[in-house]
């Protein structure tokens, strides 16, 4: 009978630590919490891991740490034929930030007939994920209350209530629009308008409030128009009423880039030249805005910074048991393009 060959020993964490000249804990940090290491140390350890072909035992890591290294992202409902490019960019940023921290992202959605809360409970009971990352957070969002009551880790793109964990990140939409109104005023405009959707979304309300604050600050004549929903026909109808009424504004700030598309359509139909007869600015910096003629001035959401901050805050809770005491507000990034017109345009 042939003798059994001894089982070949795989590369161990001790092997990697010895070759890299660091401790086992440093190897663990490189794999599980790379943000804790200096860039040069992380680069050296990563190179040794790749060179030796070290692959940690994921099941053993989960047993030791009590984590699955998986973050659940309840994906917003979207139209495959007309997807939201903003949320696609956000998902890409979340996956990248999670990967850098050694985590994977699991996209989830309630099954037919299942409530959002039931879908969350199912994942919690199965111990499938370490925490949730929420987006499209609304006022009195039931997901926030449910996860708070369950005591399960989460981070939110959008503000939580005062009695809920402050593990949120948001963009200062109001200040971004205040600043945009200032740019409009600096170009000599005195009659300005804000075009909103009437959906009651908290970020749209923040942008409207920022517009009204900017109007007061600069002593402008301002008016707010709302399109009843996101239907293109309704947006065009609201914009036409705005541009054909008495005291037509010479500048419009739209609460979203898709609303500004209606402004472009109506302005051309009325013989108004954008950037000369009418200044236009908006919010979100969708890819189409750079291709408009003239290109649209807008506010860009810092999606990479938002995603990294969300993952960092979530892992504070998951790995360290520390819940942030306050939310994090990040500034929007103005993108100035020809639709605003040159300084002192009027």
């Amino acid at each position: 009978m042939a003798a059994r060959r001894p089982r070949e020993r795989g590369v161990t964490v001790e092997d990697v630590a010895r070759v890299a000249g660091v401790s086992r804990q440093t190897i663990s940090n490189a794999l599980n919490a790379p943000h804790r290491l200096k860039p040069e140390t992380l680069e050296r350890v990563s190179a040794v891991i790749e060179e030796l072909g070290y692959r940690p035992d994921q099941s053993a890591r989960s047993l030791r740490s009590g984590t699955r290294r998986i973050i659940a992202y309840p994906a917003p409902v979207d139209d495959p034929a007309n997807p939201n490019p903003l949320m696609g960019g956000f998902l890409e940023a979340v996956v990248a930030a999670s990967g850098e921290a050694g985590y994977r992202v699991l996209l989830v959605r309630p099954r037919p007939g299942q409530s959002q809360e039931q879908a969350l409970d199912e994942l919690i009971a199965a111990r499938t994920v370490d925490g949730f990352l929420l987006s499209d957070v609304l006022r009195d969002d039931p997901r926030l209350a449910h996860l708070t009551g369950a005591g399960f880790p989460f981070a939110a793109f959008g503000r939580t209530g005062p009695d809920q964990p402050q593990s949120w990140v948001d963009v200062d939409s109001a200040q971004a629009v205040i600043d945009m109104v200032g740019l409009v005023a600096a170009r000599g405009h005195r009659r300005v308008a804000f075009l909103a959707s009437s959906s009651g979304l908290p970020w749209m309300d923040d942008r409207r409030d920022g517009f009204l604050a900017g109007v007061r600050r600069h002593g402008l004549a301002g008016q707010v128009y709302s399109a009843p929903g996101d239907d293109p026909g309704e947006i065009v109808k609201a914009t036409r009423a705005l541009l054909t009424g008495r005291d037509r504004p010479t500048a419009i700030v739209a609460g979203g880039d898709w609303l500004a598309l209606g402004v472009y359509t109506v302005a051309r139909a009325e013989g108004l030249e954008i950037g000369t007869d009418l200044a236009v600015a908006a919010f979100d910096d969708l890819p189409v805005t750079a291709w408009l003629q003239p290109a649209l001035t807008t506010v860009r959401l810092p999606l990479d910074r938002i995603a990294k901050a969300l993952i960092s805050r979530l892992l504070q809770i998951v790995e360290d048991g520390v819940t942030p005491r306050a939310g994090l507000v990040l500034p929007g990034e103005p993108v100035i393009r020809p639709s605003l017109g040159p300084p002192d345009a009027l």
Side-chain angles (χ1 to χ4, degrees):
M1 183 183 221
R4 270 179 93 178
R5 294 180 60 187
R7 184 178 178 181
E8 293 185 4
R9 184 179 72 91
V11 178
T12 67
V13 67
E14 287 82 3
D15 296 331
V16 178
R18 185 179 65 256
V19 174
V22 297
S23 67
R24 280 180 54 114
Q25 183 59 51
T26 299
I27 304 302
S28 176
N29 286 341
L31 294 168
N32 304 320
H35 56 282
R36 295 178 178 173
L37 299 183
K38 294 180 179 178
E40 56 270 22
T41 302
L42 179 59
E43 183 178 358
R44 184 171 79 254
V45 171
S46 299
V48 172
I49 289 173
E50 185 65 26
E51 178 185 350
L52 298 182
Y54 174 64
R55 296 294 180 267
D57 185 333
Q58 294 294 335
S59 60
R61 287 171 67 186
S62 295
L63 287 172
R64 286 195 302 270
S65 66
T67 62
R68 291 291 180 184
R69 309 198 71 77
I70 296 176
I71 296 168
Y73 176 56
V77 176
D78 205 355
D79 181 358
N82 185 27
N84 182 343
L86 189 64
M87 295 314 297
F90 176 67
L91 178 58
E92 171 62 30
V94 166
V95 170
S98 300
E100 289 175 5
Y103 283 72
R104 292 186 173 91
V105 176
L106 176 66
L107 299 184
V108 297
R109 188 173 287 166
R111 297 192 305 272
Q114 189 180 46
S115 70
Q116 293 188 71
E117 293 85 348
Q118 288 171 331
L120 299 177
D121 283 341
E122 187 174 77
L123 289 170
I124 293 172
R127 298 182 180 179
T128 306
V129 301
D130 301 307
F132 290 89
L133 194 155
L134 307 178
S135 66
D136 284 9
V137 172
L138 306 176
R139 292 188 182 88
D140 301 320
D141 195 309
R143 298 174 300 172
L144 301 179
H146 194 75
L147 290 174
T148 298
F152 203 77
F154 71 88
F157 181 11
R159 308 184 190 208
T160 63
D163 297 327
Q164 296 169 340
Q166 299 299 294
S167 51
W168 56 264
V169 178
D170 203 6
V171 174
D172 195 346
S173 294
Q175 186 59 54
V177 177
I178 289 173
D179 295 341
M180 192 62 72
V181 172
L183 292 174
V184 167
R187 284 158 170 76
H189 295 277
R190 310 309 299 168
R191 296 192 308 279
V192 298
F194 183 76
L195 181 62
S197 68
S198 59
S199 52
L201 299 173
W203 49 89
M204 185 63 68
D205 293 344
D206 288 344
R207 295 169 192 180
R208 180 202 61 211
D209 293 345
F211 172 80
L212 294 173
V215 165
R216 290 192 299 269
R217 177 178 299 182
H218 296 282
L220 307 181
Q223 51 187 319
V224 174
Y225 271 68
S226 293
D230 296 337
D231 178 74
E234 295 294 342
I235 293 172
V236 167
K237 183 178 178 180
T239 306
R240 182 169 290 114
L242 181 60
L243 290 179
T244 58
R246 295 182 57 187
D247 298 324
R248 175 183 67 79
T250 61
I252 294 178
V253 179
D257 291 338
W258 79 97
L259 294 165
L261 297 180
V263 177
Y264 272 62
T265 299
V266 175
R268 288 203 174 90
E270 296 297 321
L272 300 173
E273 185 176 347
I274 293 177
T276 302
D277 304 315
L278 179 68
V280 182
F283 211 108
D284 290 334
D285 194 31
L286 300 180
V288 69
T289 59
W291 292 91
L292 295 174
Q293 292 296 327
L296 177 64
T297 293
T298 186
V299 177
R300 177 180 299 148
L301 300 182
L303 296 180
D304 286 335
R305 291 183 62 193
I306 293 168
K308 288 178 180 178
L310 285 167
I311 297 302
S312 174
R313 290 178 150 246
L314 179 56
L315 297 189
Q316 270 187 265
I317 305 172
V318 171
E319 297 180 352
D320 304 327
V322 177
T323 301
R325 294 185 177 182
L328 176 64
V329 179
L330 297 175
E333 301 173 350
V335 182
I336 310 304
R337 297 190 179 117
S339 70
L340 205 59
D344 299 322
L346 296 181

